[in-house]
Amino acid sequence: MGTKPRYRPNKLGRKLLHIRNALGLSQSEMIRRLGLEGLTSAARVSEWESGIREPTLPTLLAYGNVARVHLEAIVDDDAILPDKLPGSFDYRRSKKIFKTENQP
């Protein structure tokens, strides 16, 4: 392992906020759409959006699915999210797609 700190996207929080606002969702509604009810709080979403914390990779994938944008558009500082997002996606219904062989 290297000694350099890992890359952290500077625009990630703003992009997550943009996604939520473009979909017209409150933080609590975003949690529900991400399929994270009971696993996280509105305070945690606020920390993601303000750049205090970074969401996990599965959470970022869920954001991409909900917004129907590629993960690259979310995490790459050089990529631009469209003002109008393509739509929504029910992540809970798609969980079976993301399960690995070891998951129930």
Side-chain angles (χ1 to χ4, degrees):
M1 294 228 183
T3 57
K4 291 183 180 179
R6 71 177 179 82
Y7 169 74
R8 293 184 182 267
N10 293 318
K11 298 179 182 177
L12 179 60
R14 289 188 299 247
K15 287 183 176 186
L16 298 179
L17 177 62
H18 171 76
I19 288 170
R20 185 172 62 79
N21 287 336
L23 296 174
L25 301 174
S26 68
Q27 290 174 337
S28 297
E29 291 168 330
M30 190 71 202
I31 290 168
R32 185 179 51 76
R33 291 287 287 279
L34 293 171
L36 298 175
E37 317 90 322
L39 300 174
T40 196
S41 66
R44 183 56 50 100
V45 173
S46 178
E47 291 174 342
W48 296 337
E49 292 174 352
S50 64
I52 294 170
R53 291 182 180 259
E54 291 182 358
T56 63
L57 182 56
T59 299
L60 289 172
L61 288 168
Y63 265 96
N65 286 330
V66 167
R68 290 199 161 189
V69 297
H70 292 280
L71 184 58
E72 179 181 357
I74 298 172
V75 298
D76 184 351
D77 282 341
D78 294 329
I80 299 171
L81 283 174
D83 288 333
K84 184 174 179 181
L85 298 175
S88 61
F89 183 80
D90 189 351
Y91 177 69
R92 290 172 293 178
R93 290 178 53 197
S94 71
K95 278 188 177 176
K96 61 185 173 202
I97 296 170
F98 299 108
K99 289 187 178 184
T100 64
E101 294 177 17
N102 297 338
Q103 291 179 322

